[in-house]
Amino acid sequence: EMEKLLPYNVQQGALVSLDPRLGYIKSMVGGVSYAKSKFNRAYQAQRQTGSAFKPFIYLTAFAKGYKPEDIEFDEPVTYQTGPGIFWSPQNYGRTFSGAITLRQALQFSVNVIAVKLMDKVGIKNVLNTIEKLGVKSEIRPYLSSALGASEITPLEMAYSFGVFANDGKYVEPTPILKIVNPYGEVI
């Protein structure tokens, strides 16, 4: 279906599908055409995670005792990121919702609350959570990573999200189970 994306100047894409219970990679597409590019975007391409990073923050918070019904305030906030350097995260649409539950903040992907929560639970704790989910890519230890500023491969995103679907259990991804010759014999 890449043809539908051509008007938007999308040239390549990747897909990873896996069984989170067993870790079996069911399918992996590394690009549109191997003849055009041998670079496998599914496991070689580092891409910013965007809002897909936020569940890692909430998982860390819930593991530390926060509850989905806890209230947080979606309001303007500013962080000092260096000498004389300040950063104010913004929500999509540049509006604020006031008091909302963590469940609602995750549901509606509220940027400000994700950043505030990452600050409260500790960046290092979020990075430890991500490591436990099997991610080996380097996540920069900055609050902007809460909004997906760090890069992870699509394969890492697939198996780290697989942990959510597998009742919290990480299973090492397995690309090949066996190789069979034309005679049906396992090599």
Side-chain angles (χ1 to χ4, degrees):
E1 293 290 329
M2 285 295 296
E3 293 82 28
K4 291 181 181 177
L5 299 174
L6 290 176
Y8 302 99
N9 201 27
V10 175
Q11 304 291 317
Q12 288 287 345
L15 172 111
V16 176
S17 173
L18 56 83
D19 179 339
R21 296 167 295 130
L22 303 171
Y24 299 155
I25 297 173
K26 299 293 189 174
S27 63
M28 183 166 55
V29 178
V32 174
S33 168
Y34 186 76
K36 289 181 182 177
S37 173
K38 296 175 183 29
F39 183 72
N40 187 322
R41 285 153 186 83
Y43 75 89
Q44 292 176 301
Q46 297 277 324
R47 295 289 180 252
Q48 289 187 336
T49 61
S51 289
F53 189 89
K54 292 174 185 169
F56 305 140
I57 300 165
Y58 287 87
L59 175 61
T60 305
F62 296 148
K64 293 204 155 295
Y66 285 81
K67 295 177 180 53
E69 60 272 8
D70 286 347
I71 300 292
E72 185 57 70
F73 290 90
D74 178 23
E75 59 193 1
V77 63
T78 300
Y79 295 93
Q80 185 166 359
T81 59
I85 302 170
F86 298 91
W87 177 58
S88 298
Q90 297 293 318
N91 292 323
Y92 184 80
R94 308 260 187 217
T95 61
F96 300 97
S97 302
I100 61 172
T101 66
L102 293 183
R103 176 182 282 116
Q104 292 169 315
L106 177 57
Q107 177 183 353
F108 296 111
S109 191
V110 179
N111 290 345
V112 170
I113 297 207
V115 172
K116 287 173 76 172
L117 195 57
M118 187 159 159
D119 185 45
K120 287 180 179 183
V121 301
I123 295 170
K124 287 188 181 191
N125 291 320
V126 174
L127 299 182
N128 287 339
T129 296
I130 293 167
E131 190 176 308
K132 289 177 187 173
L133 298 177
V135 173
K136 293 173 181 51
S137 291
E138 180 185 349
I139 306 298
R140 289 182 289 285
Y142 305 118
L143 288 175
S144 60
S145 287
L147 305 182
S150 290
E151 297 84 12
I152 298 177
T153 67
L155 178 59
E156 287 175 308
M157 286 301 290
Y159 61 70
S160 64
F161 267 70
V163 175
F164 292 107
N166 196 31
D167 294 324
K169 295 180 204 114
Y170 169 74
V171 178
E172 189 74 29
T174 306
I176 299 171
L177 297 179
K178 62 184 174 182
I179 300 174
V180 180
N181 70 15
Y183 306 105
E185 301 165 333
V186 177
I187 299 175

